[in-house]
């Protein structure tokens, strides 16, 4: 057992910097905010490194199996002797890995933002939001309790909302932030119901107890699997609903519509939240509950697999047609998260069977590196060109040599060309799918080919294609991005290139025991060749500016238009909400409210008004009228007493 | 010629009372209304004296009440006239219909 108090500093340092910058920064030290935020993140990152070293090499293993260690636990709300909401720190391979990833990427983004957001008048607000996000995300990954994860889940959602809407003068950014919040909130409803079902069945909120009770043969498991609703057991329903929450955060079908719009936020935010960390929270959640999914509810795991595979293919097709570079990257993120999801979906529990789990976490790790890098490169390009549109770019390789090389490395990594990191994780995923489900494997291969195509379409269009035309005169003082932006690019490129060589299975596996996965050279030939084919097609079409892509698009007009319009999912949702829900539910209820409810109140008010209007004439102000009333009443009472008393 | 009995006195006082009421309700002049109130009070006085004399000849309660009522009537007349004078200063009139501002 390690002395755990200092682990608390990892989430608390960003939180303190959030408070400091958010409360005082704007007034007292607007210039130093970025430095404070970055330093606190750096400290967090160093502590995470120490924790990771201690966990993986010193105390984590007992008899070759990585343990789950509750390093800190505090009862926050006690409902009953069994059920309480705790705040705590759970250390296990995936949470330690996520601590590293989140602090590292967040640190890189903080450094990068110093250059990217330079001169922005609201930079202190930006840095306080970034710190808030980092705190929430760190709190999420170390949760010991399913309710703690829910609390931080919502905190992550709100900080994402704040950061997407950072440019609040832009109506599109405001709309995008609202959309992201509402869509994910809608999905979180499923998560909450799922939590309630799971905790009702297992009578606990604690992760470890919950997993233990729902995987071993106990009365809890029996009642959870026998209670049936619409043909599925309560456990399957609970897990599927929890997965729905995860799908909302991770932009899986059908909750993906917010992610492309979320690109309205500043680019570093897209890199941090909508590529590397927050959007993988759904994957992390499924991985956290993986034993329950795998052992007790294979149907729910199947849903995860198919949703993941389908989202992945779906997003890859759309990504081929988009022209906004950040949107292309957003769809590619969705596609890669689909990869992680279906890797979990096809995985089994324990031993060789658990390859998919390891592969998924591995891909999460490498994806965080290369996708953050891609976004940061895109940010550098946008910083230079002042446009998100592909068509405004081209021929930038001479003008931005560092960005060019790092972007190329990231593209090779995401495409899965050896020896870059994406190759190793993607091959493992495909291998796991191959052994378990051939249909999903086929979808995965197709997606991998499309990934190669659209990534290199992006690469060739930005850096080759036609020569760069606009603002030539300005280039003298507006060359490559500043050093604070280039440094994270270089560091991330380094890690994107080499992290694949880590023997990931040794540290992270479904049951904690080391999983030694050999590189299957004969298996990986085919996917690499397919990826190379995708690159070749992109090279042929986009290396030089020509009209072949245009012809191709015209040739496939119907399908191309559908993909360009993102398969009209947004329009479908708009139709359902505006056309059906508003008209059939909203308007009748509004009518009822306006006419029946308000009408009832108005009726009573006007009745009272009418009556008082009538009787106020009795108060005439004339003394003699009052005297008449008085005598009349007296006579009335007298008559009353005389005739009715006895 | 019969002796004057209780009924005669009660008839007189009832007449006096309703004459007072009638005057109070119909006269617009505030002084006249005050006089009508005095008529009402005096009819009550006659009642007290008559009941005292015919029903409880050995007691003086009715006479006491009458003396009190006469005293209070004097005080009341003073207050009422003060009010009337103030109203007169305000409206330059002692018509009761001019003083009808105190209403809704």
């Amino acid at each position: 057992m390690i002395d755990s108090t200092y682990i608390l500093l990892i989430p608390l340092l960003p939180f303190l910097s959030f408070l400091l910058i958010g409360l005082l920064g704007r007034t007292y030290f607007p210039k130093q905010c970025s430095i404070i935020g970055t330093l606190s993140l750096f400290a967090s990152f160093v502590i995470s490194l120490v924790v990771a070293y201690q966990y993986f090499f010193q105390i984590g293993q007992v008899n070759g199996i990585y343990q789950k260690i509750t390093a800190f636990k505090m009862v926050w709300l006690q409902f009953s002797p069994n059920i309480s909401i705790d705040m705590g720190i759970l250390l296990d391979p995936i949470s330690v890995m996520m601590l590293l990833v989140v602090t590292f990427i967040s640190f890189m983004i903080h450094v990068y933002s110093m250059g990217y957001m330079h001169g922005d008048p609201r930079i202190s607000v930006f840095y306080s939001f970034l710190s808030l996000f980092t705190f929430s995300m760190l709190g999420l990954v170390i949760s010991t309790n399913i309710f703690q994860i829910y609390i931080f889940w919502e905190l992550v959602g709100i900080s994402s909302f704040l950061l997407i809407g950072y440019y609040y003068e832009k109506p599109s950014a405001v709309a995008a932030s609202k959309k992201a919040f509402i869509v994910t909130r809608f999905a979180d409803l499923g998560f909450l119901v799922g939590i309630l079902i799971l905790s009702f069945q297992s009578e606990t909120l604690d992760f470890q107890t919950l997993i233990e009770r729902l995987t071993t043969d106990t009365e809890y498991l029996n009642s959870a699997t026998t209670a049936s609703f619409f043909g599925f057991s309560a456990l399957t329903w609970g897990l599927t609903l929890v997965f729905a929450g995860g799908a909302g955060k991770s932009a899986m079908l059908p909750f993906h519509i917010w992610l492309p719009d979320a690109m309205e936020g500043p680019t570093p935010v897209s890199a941090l939240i909508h590529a590397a960390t927050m959007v993988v929270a759904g994957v992390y959640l499924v991985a956290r509950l993986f034993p329950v999914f795998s052992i007790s509810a294979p149907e729910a795991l199947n849903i995860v697999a198919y949703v993941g595979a389908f989202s992945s293919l779906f997003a890859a097709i759309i990504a081929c047609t988009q022209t906004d570079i950040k949107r292309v990257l957003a769809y590619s993120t969705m596609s890669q998260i689909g990869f992680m999801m279906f890797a979990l979906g096809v995985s089994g529990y324990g031993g060789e069977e658990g390859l998919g789990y390891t592969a998924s976490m591995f891909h999460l790790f490498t994806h965080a590196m290369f996708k953050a890098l891609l976004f940061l490169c895109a940010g550098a390009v946008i910083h230079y060109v002042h446009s998100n549109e592909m068509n405004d770019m081209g021929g930038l390789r001479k003008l931005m040599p560092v960005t060019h090389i790092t972007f190329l490395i990231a593209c090779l990594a995401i495409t899965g060309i050896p020896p870059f990191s994406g190759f190793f994780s993607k091959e493992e995923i495909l291998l796991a799918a191959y052994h378990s489900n051939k249909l999903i494997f086929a979808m995965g291969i197709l997606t991998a080919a499309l990934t190669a195509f659209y990534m290199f379409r992006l690469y060739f269009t930005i850096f080759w294609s036609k020569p760069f035309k606009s603002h030539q005169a300005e280039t003298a003082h507006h060359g490559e991005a500043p050093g604070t932006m280039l440094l994270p690019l270089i560091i991330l490129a380094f890690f994107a290139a080499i992290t694949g060589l880590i023997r990931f299975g040794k540290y992270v596996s479904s049951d904690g025991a080391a999983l030694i996965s050999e590189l299957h050279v004969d298996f990986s030939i085919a996917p690499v060749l397919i990826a190379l084919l995708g690159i070749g097609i992109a090279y042929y079409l986009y290396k030089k500016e020509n009209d072949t892509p245009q012809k191709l698009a015209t040739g496939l007009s119907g399908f191309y238009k559908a993909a360009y319009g993102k398969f009209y999912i947004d329009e479908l949702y708009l139709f359902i909400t505006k056309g059906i829900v508003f008209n059939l539910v909203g308007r009748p209820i509004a009518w009822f409210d306006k006419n029946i409810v308000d009408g009832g109140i108005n009726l009573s008010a006007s009745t009272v008004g009418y009556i008082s209007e009538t009787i106020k004439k009795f108060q005439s102000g004339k003394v003699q009228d009052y005297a008449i009333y008085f005598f009349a009443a007296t006579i009335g009472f007298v008559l009353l007493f005389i005739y009715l008393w006895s | 010629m019969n002796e004057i009995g209780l009924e005669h006195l009660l008839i007189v006082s009832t007449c006096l009372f309703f004459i007072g009421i009638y005057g109070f309700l119909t006269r617009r002049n505030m002084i006249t209304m005050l006089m009508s109130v005095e008529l009402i009070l005096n009819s009550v006085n006659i009642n007290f004296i008559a009941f005292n004399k015919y029903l409880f000849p050995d007691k003086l309660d009715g006479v006491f009440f009458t003396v009190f009522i006469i005293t209070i009537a004097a005080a009341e007349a003073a207050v009422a006239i003060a009010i009337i004078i103030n109203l007169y200063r305000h409206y330059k009139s002692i018509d009761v219909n001019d003083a009808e501002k105190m209403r809704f």
Side-chain angles (χ1 to χ4, degrees), chain A residues 323-370:
Chain A
T323 55
D324 180 322
I325 61 171
K326 284 181 77 182
R327 275 177 192 262
V328 173
L329 291 178
Y331 279 109
S332 108
T333 305
M334 177 180 161
S335 170
Q336 299 303 310
I337 294 168
F339 262 89
M340 300 171 207
M341 280 290 184
F342 79 68
L344 283 175
V346 298
S347 175
Y349 184 75
E352 284 289 314
E353 291 290 302
L355 179 66
Y357 179 88
T358 305
S360 170
M361 290 298 110
F362 194 15
H363 200 58
L364 193 163
F365 184 71
T366 54
H367 174 257
M369 304 294 165
F370 61 67

Side-chain angles (χ1 to χ4, degrees), chain A residues 471-490:
Chain A
H471 66 65
Q472 290 287 6
E474 290 177 49
T475 31
H477 65 92
H478 199 283
E480 181 70 290
T484 44
M485 286 166 72
L486 290 184
L487 185 69
L489 291 186
I490 296 167

Side-chain angles (χ1 to χ4, degrees), chain A residues 245-461:
Chain A
K249 271 279 182 285
S250 290
M252 294 286 98
L253 280 173
F255 299 118
H256 66 283
I257 51 164
W258 65 272
L259 186 62
D261 288 17
M263 297 302 136
E264 291 291 340
T267 309
V269 168
S270 309
L272 177 62
I273 301 184
H274 307 118
T277 53
M278 187 191 83
V279 287
V280 298
V283 181
Y284 180 78
L285 184 68
V286 176
R288 173 58 72 218
L289 290 170
F290 185 70
V292 189
F293 271 100
S294 174
I295 296 173
S296 313
E299 303 92 345
L301 201 59
N302 260 336
I303 295 174
V304 174
Y306 280 104
V307 168
F310 193 70
S311 303
S312 153
L313 184 59
F314 179 83
I317 293 171
I318 296 178
C320 293
T321 60
Q322 299 299 308
T323 55
D324 180 322
I325 61 171
K326 284 181 77 182
R327 275 177 192 262
V328 173
L329 291 178
Y331 279 109
S332 108
T333 305
M334 177 180 161
S335 170
Q336 299 303 310
I337 294 168
F339 262 89
M340 300 171 207
M341 280 290 184
F342 79 68
L344 283 175
V346 298
S347 175
Y349 184 75
E352 284 289 314
E353 291 290 302
L355 179 66
Y357 179 88
T358 305
S360 170
M361 290 298 110
F362 194 15
H363 200 58
L364 193 163
F365 184 71
T366 54
H367 174 257
M369 304 294 165
F370 61 67
K371 187 48 67 64
L373 176 56
L374 281 172
F375 266 105
L376 295 189
C377 290
V381 170
I382 293 167
H383 195 69
Y384 182 79
V385 182
H386 294 298
S387 164
N388 282 8
E389 280 301 311
M390 261 186 195
N391 298 333
D392 298 340
M393 301 165 187
L396 289 173
R397 69 185 183 285
K398 293 266 171 52
L399 297 168
M400 312 181 74
V402 180
T403 315
H404 168 230
I405 297 294
T406 49
F407 196 89
L408 179 60
I409 291 173
C411 281
L412 289 171
I414 193 176
T415 312
I417 302 297
F420 295 98
S421 61
F423 165 71
F424 296 93
S425 51
K426 203 173 267 187
E427 295 324 296
E428 270 188 18
I429 290 180
L430 290 175
L431 187 63
Y434 181 73
H435 285 314
S436 146
N437 190 329
K438 294 284 190 294
L439 175 63
I440 288 181
F441 171 72
M443 287 164 95
I445 284 282
L446 186 55
T447 311
L450 286 172
T451 308
F453 171 71
Y454 67 71
M455 284 320 297
F456 276 86
R457 167 175 176 258
L458 195 60
Y459 167 74
F460 285 123
T461 322

Side-chain angles (χ1 to χ4, degrees), chain B residues 38-53:
Chain B
E38 296 298 328
L39 283 185
I40 295 170
L41 289 170
N42 283 330
S43 79
V44 174
N45 286 347
I46 292 173
N47 261 8
F48 273 118
I49 297 290
F51 281 123
N52 194 3
K53 177 164 190 285

